[in-house]
């Protein structure tokens, strides 16, 4: 009997994650769900065993080849732990073959942390969805009939049918210039706002705009001639990630976005940039404000892969009018232009073309890491902040009644915020490598002044903060 194990090369997006990984930015993110009672770790372990068998992708360990990294299926089994590590702590260690995710619990919260080289926020939300469903089924067996689960997260595999995800092929590979297209662009698609975003929409006239050439294919050197405002600060101790969690009623924020004629993604992004502009009034004067926004491509191109499949858009505001209204209008126009089918397909073909360039194919992996790392650093110098949005997360009955807020937090080389919503709760999680919190405070003040009730929770990172809560 052969002991040969299944393996696949990393997808197009994953290669740069590993090249850009650092002590500050671990390229790990967490998705979590709050339940209505304290989590039982024994039952959570049982639920994890069930769900783990349905996602073969998560059985993978990361291996290094001469020319590329690859995922190899392993026989390791995950174990649930307490949430005792710093948020988004390292998952990949080149000298150890360990799983690329962890499941933890704290009080009433179930937490899933994943290395971004394995999957993106949408893919991880499918796993969290199934994990929470299985846990609630085990915790409240009296609420279930013959068919345990009816319905599933939109776009995710339906749990009752036990759809099994193997080491899926790279969806980016469908856009290799020499490959026939493996799936078609959706006809008359709704405008995409961000990764998984569903609330709100751009004006029809904006969504139909033809993308200018410079928005389809950015030139890093051309950007470098612009003076982009960069947020600076003092690094957190031990390079740990600071998380500030905001929870608010989605019904209080959505009307504000609609009044501006933009999506929640655009509204909150503009609000954060506006807050940064106010706090850094002296250093930001006359400089461009730039933000990175990922877009989930599964619904656009008909993919159901559990691996990474997204594109990143770059929005900027460099007009003389720094009013909030002007920022909303500018960001909404750019996002609509960059998420048309033609713009997204051009972006994908460009990305995959770089990967399959003859010179790139023969470069040894260490040299590829050096090149990609340099490109990433140059890109970071031309960004003010980053954001991501996995949109609305839903659970089937009777699970939904036991779930409260859903959170997404991403390790960051610069200030970043992430959005998610469940039921009538919207969460905005700020992550930052810096101890300073003035920009986040200004953002909360902007919301409360507009009548939004915001609940704030923050992770302690400095010695003084930790000493204040020590027993």
């Amino acid at each position: 009997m052969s002991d040969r194990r299944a393996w696949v090369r990393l997808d197009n997006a994953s290669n740069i994650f590993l090249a850009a990984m650092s002590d500050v930015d671990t390229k790990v993110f967490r998705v979590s769900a709050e339940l209505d009672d304290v989590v039982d770790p024994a039952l959570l372990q049982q639920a994890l065993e069930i769900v783990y068998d349905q996602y073969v992708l998560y059985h993978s360990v990361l291996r290094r080849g001469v020319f590329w990294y690859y995922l190899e299926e392993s026989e390791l089994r995950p174990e649930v732990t307490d949430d005792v590590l710093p948020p988004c702590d390292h998952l990949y260690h080149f000298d150890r073959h360990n799983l690329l995710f962890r499941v933890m619990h704290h009080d009433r919260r179930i937490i899933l942390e994943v290395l971004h080289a394995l999957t993106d926020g949408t893919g991880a939300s499918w796993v969290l969805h199934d994990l929470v469903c299985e846990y609630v089924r085990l915790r409240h067996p009296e609420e279930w009939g013959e068919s345990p689960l009816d319905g599933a997260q939109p776009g995710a595999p339906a749990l009752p049918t036990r759809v099994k995800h193997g080491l899926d092929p790279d969806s980016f590979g469908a856009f290799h210039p020499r490959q026939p297209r493996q799936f078609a662009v959706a006809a008359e698609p709704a405008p995409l706002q961000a990764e998984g975003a569903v609330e709100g929409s751009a004006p029809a006239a904006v969504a139909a705009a033809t993308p200018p050439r410079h928005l389809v294919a950015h030139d890093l050197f051309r950007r470098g001639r612009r003076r982009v405002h960069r947020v600076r600060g003092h690094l957190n101790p031990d390079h740990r990630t600071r998380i500030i969690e905001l929870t608010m009623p989605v019904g209080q924020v959505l009307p504000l976005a609609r009044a501006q004629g933009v999506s929640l993604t655009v509204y909150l992004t503009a609000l954060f940039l506006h807050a940064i502009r106010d706090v850094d009034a002296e250093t930001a004067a006359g400089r461009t404000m730039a933000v990175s926004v990922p877009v989930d491509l599964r619904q656009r191109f008909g993919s159901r892969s559990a691996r990474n499949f997204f594109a990143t858009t770059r929005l900027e505001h460099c007009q003389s009018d720094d009013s909030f209204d002007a920022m909303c209008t500018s960001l909404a126009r750019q996002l609509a232009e960059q998420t048309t089918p033609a713009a997204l397909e051009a972006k994908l073909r460009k990305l995959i073309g770089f990967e399959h360039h003859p010179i790139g194919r023969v470069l040894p992996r260490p040299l590829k890491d050096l090149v990609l790392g340099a490109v990433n650093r140059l890109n970071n110098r031309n960004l003010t902040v980053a954001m991501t949005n996995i949109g609305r997360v839903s659970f089937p009955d009777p699970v939904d009644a036991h779930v409260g807020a859903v959170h997404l937090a991403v390790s960051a080389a610069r200030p970043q915020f992430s959005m998610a919503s469940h039921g009538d709760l919207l969460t905005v999680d700020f992550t930052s490598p810096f101890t300073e919190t003035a920009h986040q405070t200004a953002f909360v003040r902007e919301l409360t002044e507009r009548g939004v009730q915001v609940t704030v929770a923050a992770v302690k990172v400095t010695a003084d903060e930790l000493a204040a809560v020590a027993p």
Side-chain angles (χ1 to χ4, degrees), residues 202-229:
V206 173
T210 300
R213 181 178 178 83
H214 74 279
L215 288 176
V216 175
H218 284 300
D219 184 342
L220 287 174
F221 296 99
R222 181 176 179 177
R223 294 183 205 162
R225 292 199 294 268
R226 300 191 187 104
R227 300 181 66 195
V228 174
H229 177 60

Tab-separated table of all heavy atoms in Angstrom, residues 202-229:
chain	number	residue	atom	x	y	z
A	202	ALA	N	-23.894	50.504	-4.954
A	202	ALA	CA	-23.478	51.765	-5.565
A	202	ALA	C	-24.558	52.246	-6.505
A	202	ALA	O	-25.364	51.466	-6.996
A	202	ALA	CB	-22.166	51.556	-6.324
A	203	PRO	N	-24.627	53.535	-6.775
A	203	PRO	CA	-25.596	54.038	-7.737
A	203	PRO	C	-25.425	53.349	-9.082
A	203	PRO	O	-24.317	53.012	-9.484
A	203	PRO	CB	-25.251	55.534	-7.817
A	203	PRO	CG	-24.550	55.839	-6.531
A	203	PRO	CD	-23.825	54.595	-6.170
A	204	ALA	N	-26.532	53.134	-9.798
A	204	ALA	CA	-26.497	52.383	-11.053
A	204	ALA	C	-25.558	53.030	-12.069
A	204	ALA	O	-24.831	52.349	-12.785
A	204	ALA	CB	-27.908	52.289	-11.637
A	205	ALA	N	-25.571	54.365	-12.145
A	205	ALA	CA	-24.712	55.034	-13.117
A	205	ALA	C	-23.240	54.805	-12.813
A	205	ALA	O	-22.416	54.683	-13.706
A	205	ALA	CB	-25.015	56.537	-13.117
A	206	VAL	N	-22.916	54.729	-11.518
A	206	VAL	CA	-21.529	54.492	-11.136
A	206	VAL	C	-21.139	53.065	-11.442
A	206	VAL	O	-20.071	52.771	-11.958
A	206	VAL	CB	-21.332	54.800	-9.638
A	206	VAL	CG1	-19.935	54.405	-9.192
A	206	VAL	CG2	-21.574	56.273	-9.361
A	207	ALA	N	-22.027	52.097	-11.128
A	207	ALA	CA	-21.707	50.686	-11.316
A	207	ALA	C	-21.472	50.351	-12.777
A	207	ALA	O	-20.752	49.421	-13.099
A	207	ALA	CB	-22.845	49.827	-10.768
A	208	ALA	N	-22.091	51.106	-13.676
A	208	ALA	CA	-21.973	50.800	-15.099
A	208	ALA	C	-20.762	51.465	-15.745
A	208	ALA	O	-20.515	51.300	-16.924
A	208	ALA	CB	-23.232	51.261	-15.829
A	209	ALA	N	-20.000	52.210	-14.960
A	209	ALA	CA	-18.884	52.950	-15.544
A	209	ALA	C	-17.823	52.015	-16.092
A	209	ALA	O	-17.612	50.929	-15.594
A	209	ALA	CB	-18.261	53.867	-14.481
A	210	THR	N	-17.139	52.462	-17.135
A	210	THR	CA	-16.043	51.684	-17.710
A	210	THR	C	-14.772	51.981	-16.949
A	210	THR	O	-14.424	53.142	-16.737
A	210	THR	CB	-15.834	52.065	-19.182
A	210	THR	OG1	-17.039	51.801	-19.892
A	210	THR	CG2	-14.689	51.257	-19.780
A	211	PRO	N	-14.043	50.946	-16.507
A	211	PRO	CA	-12.862	51.190	-15.679
A	211	PRO	C	-11.744	51.853	-16.471
A	211	PRO	O	-11.350	51.360	-17.516
A	211	PRO	CB	-12.448	49.780	-15.227
A	211	PRO	CG	-13.032	48.872	-16.259
A	211	PRO	CD	-14.288	49.516	-16.724
A	212	PRO	N	-11.216	52.963	-15.978
A	212	PRO	CA	-10.075	53.567	-16.645
A	212	PRO	C	-8.882	52.628	-16.605
A	212	PRO	O	-8.746	51.828	-15.693
A	212	PRO	CB	-9.805	54.836	-15.807
A	212	PRO	CG	-11.049	55.077	-15.031
A	212	PRO	CD	-11.669	53.748	-14.826
A	213	ARG	N	-7.997	52.789	-17.550
A	213	ARG	CA	-6.857	51.879	-17.646
A	213	ARG	C	-6.017	51.892	-16.377
A	213	ARG	O	-5.561	50.859	-15.896
A	213	ARG	CB	-5.997	52.266	-18.859
A	213	ARG	CG	-4.788	51.361	-19.064
A	213	ARG	CD	-4.018	51.774	-20.299
A	213	ARG	NE	-2.840	50.948	-20.492
A	213	ARG	CZ	-2.861	49.761	-21.073
A	213	ARG	NH1	-4.006	49.257	-21.490
A	213	ARG	NH2	-1.743	49.063	-21.216
A	214	HIS	N	-5.828	53.086	-15.789
A	214	HIS	CA	-4.933	53.152	-14.633
A	214	HIS	C	-5.563	52.506	-13.410
A	214	HIS	O	-4.866	52.207	-12.438
A	214	HIS	CB	-4.543	54.592	-14.323
A	214	HIS	CG	-5.629	55.399	-13.680
A	214	HIS	ND1	-6.640	55.985	-14.391
A	214	HIS	CD2	-5.847	55.712	-12.385
A	214	HIS	CE1	-7.437	56.649	-13.566
A	214	HIS	NE2	-6.990	56.493	-12.352
A	215	LEU	N	-6.890	52.267	-13.408
A	215	LEU	CA	-7.506	51.590	-12.282
A	215	LEU	C	-7.518	50.084	-12.465
A	215	LEU	O	-7.658	49.339	-11.513
A	215	LEU	CB	-8.945	52.085	-12.074
A	215	LEU	CG	-9.062	53.500	-11.513
A	215	LEU	CD1	-10.522	53.907	-11.435
A	215	LEU	CD2	-8.405	53.592	-10.154
A	216	VAL	N	-7.393	49.620	-13.691
A	216	VAL	CA	-7.354	48.180	-13.943
A	216	VAL	C	-5.971	47.627	-13.645
A	216	VAL	O	-5.805	46.559	-13.088
A	216	VAL	CB	-7.742	47.877	-15.402
A	216	VAL	CG1	-7.581	46.396	-15.697
A	216	VAL	CG2	-9.183	48.295	-15.658
A	217	ALA	N	-4.945	48.333	-14.018
A	217	ALA	CA	-3.568	47.847	-13.829
A	217	ALA	C	-2.733	48.942	-13.189
A	217	ALA	O	-2.195	49.812	-13.869
A	217	ALA	CB	-2.981	47.429	-15.177
A	218	HIS	N	-2.656	48.919	-11.855
A	218	HIS	CA	-1.875	49.926	-11.149
A	218	HIS	C	-0.389	49.736	-11.399
A	218	HIS	O	0.104	48.620	-11.516
A	218	HIS	CB	-2.141	49.821	-9.644
A	218	HIS	CG	-3.457	50.382	-9.245
A	218	HIS	ND1	-3.807	51.684	-9.451
A	218	HIS	CD2	-4.522	49.790	-8.643
A	218	HIS	CE1	-5.031	51.885	-8.989
A	218	HIS	NE2	-5.479	50.756	-8.504
A	219	ASP	N	0.337	50.822	-11.436
A	219	ASP	CA	1.786	50.794	-11.570
A	219	ASP	C	2.372	51.263	-10.247
A	219	ASP	O	2.156	52.396	-9.830
A	219	ASP	CB	2.218	51.721	-12.709
A	219	ASP	CG	3.717	51.671	-12.971
A	219	ASP	OD1	4.462	51.217	-12.087
A	219	ASP	OD2	4.121	52.087	-14.052
A	220	LEU	N	3.129	50.372	-9.587
A	220	LEU	CA	3.659	50.706	-8.278
A	220	LEU	C	4.555	51.936	-8.329
A	220	LEU	O	4.559	52.762	-7.415
A	220	LEU	CB	4.442	49.515	-7.709
A	220	LEU	CG	3.604	48.327	-7.232
A	220	LEU	CD1	4.534	47.187	-6.832
A	220	LEU	CD2	2.719	48.720	-6.078
A	221	PHE	N	5.317	52.068	-9.401
A	221	PHE	CA	6.220	53.203	-9.478
A	221	PHE	C	5.459	54.499	-9.720
A	221	PHE	O	5.835	55.572	-9.254
A	221	PHE	CB	7.256	52.966	-10.575
A	221	PHE	CG	8.138	51.794	-10.278
A	221	PHE	CD1	7.903	50.555	-10.861
A	221	PHE	CD2	9.185	51.918	-9.376
A	221	PHE	CE1	8.709	49.475	-10.562
A	221	PHE	CE2	9.996	50.842	-9.076
A	221	PHE	CZ	9.759	49.614	-9.670
A	222	ARG	N	4.353	54.391	-10.448
A	222	ARG	CA	3.529	55.574	-10.655
A	222	ARG	C	2.923	56.026	-9.334
A	222	ARG	O	2.843	57.208	-9.044
A	222	ARG	CB	2.432	55.246	-11.667
A	222	ARG	CG	1.516	56.422	-11.981
A	222	ARG	CD	0.516	56.041	-13.063
A	222	ARG	NE	-0.378	57.136	-13.363
A	222	ARG	CZ	-1.305	57.082	-14.299
A	222	ARG	NH1	-1.438	55.995	-15.026
A	222	ARG	NH2	-2.090	58.119	-14.528
A	223	ARG	N	2.482	55.036	-8.513
A	223	ARG	CA	1.944	55.392	-7.206
A	223	ARG	C	3.010	56.066	-6.353
A	223	ARG	O	2.731	56.939	-5.549
A	223	ARG	CB	1.474	54.132	-6.474
A	223	ARG	CG	0.309	53.408	-7.069
A	223	ARG	CD	-0.007	52.264	-6.141
A	223	ARG	NE	-0.671	51.185	-6.821
A	223	ARG	CZ	-0.742	49.960	-6.324
A	223	ARG	NH1	-0.175	49.663	-5.175
A	223	ARG	NH2	-1.375	49.021	-6.982
A	224	GLY	N	4.256	55.570	-6.505
A	224	GLY	CA	5.322	56.073	-5.652
A	224	GLY	C	5.552	57.558	-5.802
A	224	GLY	O	6.129	58.190	-4.916
A	225	ARG	N	5.143	58.147	-6.915
A	225	ARG	CA	5.325	59.580	-7.115
A	225	ARG	C	4.291	60.386	-6.344
A	225	ARG	O	4.437	61.586	-6.178
A	225	ARG	CB	5.257	59.910	-8.609
A	225	ARG	CG	6.433	59.352	-9.403
A	225	ARG	CD	6.568	60.093	-10.730
A	225	ARG	NE	5.438	59.863	-11.607
A	225	ARG	CZ	5.402	58.890	-12.515
A	225	ARG	NH1	6.421	58.051	-12.623
A	225	ARG	NH2	4.358	58.748	-13.311
A	226	ARG	N	3.210	59.711	-5.887
A	226	ARG	CA	2.224	60.391	-5.056
A	226	ARG	C	2.697	60.353	-3.605
A	226	ARG	O	3.347	59.401	-3.178
A	226	ARG	CB	0.859	59.709	-5.169
A	226	ARG	CG	0.280	59.671	-6.574
A	226	ARG	CD	-1.170	59.235	-6.518
A	226	ARG	NE	-1.710	59.038	-7.848
A	226	ARG	CZ	-1.925	57.865	-8.401
A	226	ARG	NH1	-1.636	56.772	-7.734
A	226	ARG	NH2	-2.417	57.760	-9.619
A	227	ARG	N	2.328	61.346	-2.860
A	227	ARG	CA	2.683	61.390	-1.446
A	227	ARG	C	1.508	60.815	-0.661
A	227	ARG	O	0.527	61.503	-0.385
A	227	ARG	CB	3.007	62.812	-1.025
A	227	ARG	CG	4.165	63.433	-1.796
A	227	ARG	CD	4.450	64.833	-1.312
A	227	ARG	NE	4.943	64.847	0.055
A	227	ARG	CZ	4.992	65.935	0.815
A	227	ARG	NH1	4.542	67.093	0.346
A	227	ARG	NH2	5.462	65.885	2.042
A	228	VAL	N	1.621	59.541	-0.310
A	228	VAL	CA	0.553	58.857	0.409
A	228	VAL	C	0.775	59.005	1.915
A	228	VAL	O	1.897	58.802	2.406
A	228	VAL	CB	0.509	57.362	0.023
A	228	VAL	CG1	-0.503	56.611	0.880
A	228	VAL	CG2	0.167	57.217	-1.454
A	229	HIS	N	-0.272	59.353	2.627
A	229	HIS	CA	-0.164	59.478	4.078
A	229	HIS	C	-0.086	58.091	4.707
A	229	HIS	O	-0.900	57.218	4.423
A	229	HIS	CB	-1.372	60.218	4.647
A	229	HIS	CG	-1.349	60.309	6.141
A	229	HIS	ND1	-0.325	60.932	6.830
A	229	HIS	CD2	-2.213	59.828	7.083
A	229	HIS	CE1	-0.562	60.855	8.127
A	229	HIS	NE2	-1.693	60.187	8.312
